[in-house]
Amino acid sequence: MKIGIVDADLLGRQKHRFPNLACEKLSGYWKERGEEVTLLMDYNHFDEYDHVYVSKVFTDTPVPEWLTETEKVHIGGTGFYFDKAPNLPDEIEHHMPDYRLYDSWIQSEIEKARRESERSQKDFNERNFKQQFKEYTDYSIGFITRGCFRKCKFCVNQKFDHVFEHSPLKEFYYEECRKICLLDDNFLGCSNWENLLQQLIATGKAFKFKQGLDERLLTDKKCEILFKARYDGDYTFAFDNIADYDLIHEKLKMIRRHTTSKSIKFYVLVGFEGTGAVDIENAFKRLELLMQYQCLPYIMRYQDKNRKPWQESKYRGIYIALARWGNQPSIYKKMSFRYFCEANQALRPVDAPLCSTMQAMVDFENDYPEIAKRYFDLRYEDFGK
């Protein structure tokens, strides 16, 4: 049989650079059975395949209007079904992923970039260019646990009400991959967390939890083991709700008792509980606390499967500026929010109208001068002195 696989996010999202695990598992399953598997780079010629699988993670990834489930065409993933996505059959879900599925696409991207550099007579550094594909080439990827008991209304993970062991590490661990990437929903909520964490450490490979960890569940023991492990990149947590302020504050103190690392990052959700001044003030209040403990934010503007509420806000420009400022560490570490907005304006001619970033700040400050006075001049680097 001929099997076609479509990673819809790869086709529909500019600069998308993370493999679709379901696609890799489907490929591994069918290749083991001797079938011909092709990663398709468009939605044409489906009739040439016995089965075509289309998967997407993000709800706003565009797909053709005609695309639907048939006997030959199978669609799946949270991008189509949000929190109601059907599970893969067990024999596929627990199959070793095909970590070579994207090889031909990666090579074609390299060749395309090389040809472009030749046309423009610019030097081409293949090693540097290939860094953008490291998630495809360097990592064993899987879920060592699944589920979460939080039931956060903004989260796609609503299927389960507890955390449980899902895949043994050996199920997706590939010796040739240099690192390990875990996609677990709430690893620290698993009762067997310590044994599983020790298994990861025992591989000798650097590992990371892509979705982040629940800092509300941290204990001194968890910190002791976690912060001594060979971790890959930033330790990432989440500060989604201002109601958790006091608890997060206590956990930040605990984190800093165990590590002085600058590589602590928190997802900061905005635009979920509202899109007005209160929500914006709460965002800055959380950022200020993170600054005190030299932790970096990643601003997450809430969107559901149908809409992005922040885009409808009177202060839409503030949400855009907040993410642009907070999600660029090299800028965030050196500039206050006010200075960032002024720096954007400085790029325009002296007599030019206010840029959208500066205008957004001015409008908000005119409406809420006390909030602006309290937060707009905070600087990350001042808290590190």
Side-chain angles (χ1 to χ4, degrees):
M1 285 196 297
K2 294 181 65 177
I3 307 296
I5 294 180
V6 177
D7 178 344
D9 300 304
L10 180 63
L11 299 187
R13 304 180 74 85
Q14 188 176 15
K15 295 297 183 182
H16 179 71
R17 291 295 183 263
F18 194 84
N20 184 303
L21 184 58
C23 290
E24 291 188 331
K25 289 181 177 181
L26 283 160
S27 179
Y29 173 83
W30 284 112
K31 282 184 177 179
E32 185 179 61
R33 280 152 183 75
E35 310 301 348
E36 179 185 339
V37 177
T38 303
L39 179 68
L40 303 181
M41 299 312 298
D42 56 47
Y43 293 92
N44 303 324
H45 312 297
F46 278 14
D47 58 320
E48 297 177 7
Y49 296 86
D50 296 285
H51 291 282
V52 175
Y53 295 88
V54 184
S55 178
K56 71 169 181 168
V57 174
F58 301 99
T59 57
D60 60 346
T61 294
V63 296
E65 291 185 4
W66 54 261
L67 184 65
T68 187
E69 182 87 16
T70 69
E71 290 185 2
K72 291 179 60 174
V73 178
H74 315 281
I75 63 176
T78 53
F80 288 109
Y81 298 104
F82 202 58
D83 60 339
K84 302 293 191 301
N87 296 331
L88 289 169
D90 279 353
E91 63 271 22
I92 297 175
E93 174 62 29
H94 294 285
H95 199 283
M96 175 67 74
D98 173 17
Y99 293 118
R100 303 279 73 84
L101 174 64
Y102 292 90
D103 283 359
S104 59
W105 166 70
I106 292 172
Q107 191 57 43
S108 70
E109 291 294 297
I110 293 171
E111 294 302 325
K112 188 189 306 180
R114 182 180 286 109
R115 289 194 298 271
E116 179 59 34
S117 67
E118 290 173 353
R119 282 195 294 269
S120 61
Q121 297 184 331
K122 294 181 179 179
D123 292 335
F124 177 65
N125 188 314
E126 181 173 329
R127 182 176 181 180
N128 288 344
F129 182 79
K130 288 172 68 174
Q131 279 299 303
Q132 65 183 295
F133 306 112
K134 63 183 180 180
E135 307 277 12
Y136 298 87
T137 59
D138 292 2
Y139 291 85
S140 298
I141 303 175
F143 292 86
I144 204 166
T145 70
R146 293 301 296 259
C148 181
F149 59 88
R150 295 289 185 188
K151 294 291 184 180
C152 299
K153 293 181 180 179
F154 55 79
C155 184
V156 71
N157 182 20
Q158 300 288 334
K159 281 186 182 181
F160 309 105
D161 58 7
H162 66 292
V163 186
F164 55 93
E165 294 182 53
H166 180 65
S167 294
L169 182 57
K170 65 180 181 181
E171 205 171 84
F172 59 89
Y173 176 68
Y174 187 48
E175 181 66 37
E176 293 183 20
C177 291
R178 297 173 48 243
K179 301 177 181 180
I180 302 170
C181 179
L182 290 311
L183 304 181
D184 299 41
D185 309 301
N186 194 343
F187 174 80
L188 294 180
C190 180
S191 59
N192 197 30
W193 68 269
E194 184 174 1
N195 179 47
L196 297 176
L197 192 54
Q198 293 293 359
Q199 288 180 34
L200 289 166
I201 293 171
T203 66
K205 304 283 182 75
F207 64 91
K208 65 181 177 181
F209 289 91
K210 178 77 170 177
Q211 304 298 101
L213 294 162
D214 189 343
E215 75 292 333
R216 292 165 292 184
L217 299 177
L218 285 174
T219 62
D220 282 311
K221 186 175 184 179
K222 288 175 179 176
C223 287
E224 182 180 358
I225 299 174
L226 187 62
F227 292 123
K228 287 182 179 178
R230 188 183 175 194
Y231 206 77
D232 179 47
D234 296 324
Y235 290 92
T236 307
F237 303 96
F239 196 169
D240 296 320
N241 195 331
I242 193 66
D244 291 326
Y245 186 95
D246 291 339
L247 178 58
I248 300 293
H249 195 176
E250 291 304 311
K251 299 303 181 180
L252 284 168
K253 293 177 185 177
M254 179 182 292
I255 288 171
R256 286 309 179 204
R257 287 201 301 269
H258 289 273
T259 180
T260 59
S261 171
K262 298 292 186 180
S263 298
I264 307 292
K265 181 177 286 186
F266 278 75
Y267 294 125
V268 176
L269 181 69
V270 298
F272 174 70
E273 295 183 321
T275 57
V278 172
D279 185 63
I280 292 167
E281 181 179 19
N282 286 343
F284 276 104
K285 185 176 181 180
R286 285 176 284 163
L287 294 179
E288 180 187 32
L289 180 60
L290 296 178
M291 284 182 182
Q292 291 177 27
Y293 291 88
Q294 292 291 276
C295 299
L296 292 171
Y298 188 86
I299 309 297
M300 305 281 289
R301 291 170 292 186
Y302 172 72
Q303 68 179 70
D304 62 24
K305 58 183 176 181
N306 298 314
R307 55 192 283 265
K308 301 175 182 179
W310 63 269
Q311 288 190 337
E312 303 162 17
S313 170
K314 174 183 178 181
Y315 301 111
R316 176 179 181 273
I318 285 287
Y319 283 103
I320 294 172
L322 190 62
R324 289 181 57 220
W325 170 60
N327 296 352
Q328 299 184 78
S330 61
I331 292 176
Y332 183 79
K333 287 180 178 181
K334 298 296 183 182
M335 297 182 182
S336 66
F337 180 71
R338 184 187 304 280
Y339 190 90
F340 170 74
C341 296
E342 292 173 345
N344 276 265
Q345 181 63 32
L347 296 174
R348 299 169 67 91
V350 175
D351 57 348
L354 294 183
C355 67
S356 59
T357 302
M358 190 67 180
Q359 188 68 62
M361 188 198 77
V362 169
D363 290 344
F364 187 88
E365 186 164 29
N366 287 338
D367 289 348
Y368 297 96
E370 291 305 312
I371 295 177
K373 182 179 179 181
R374 176 73 180 83
Y375 295 108
F376 282 11
D377 295 298
L378 293 174
R379 294 200 311 166
Y380 173 92
E381 64 179 1
D382 287 345
F383 288 94
K385 295 178 180 179

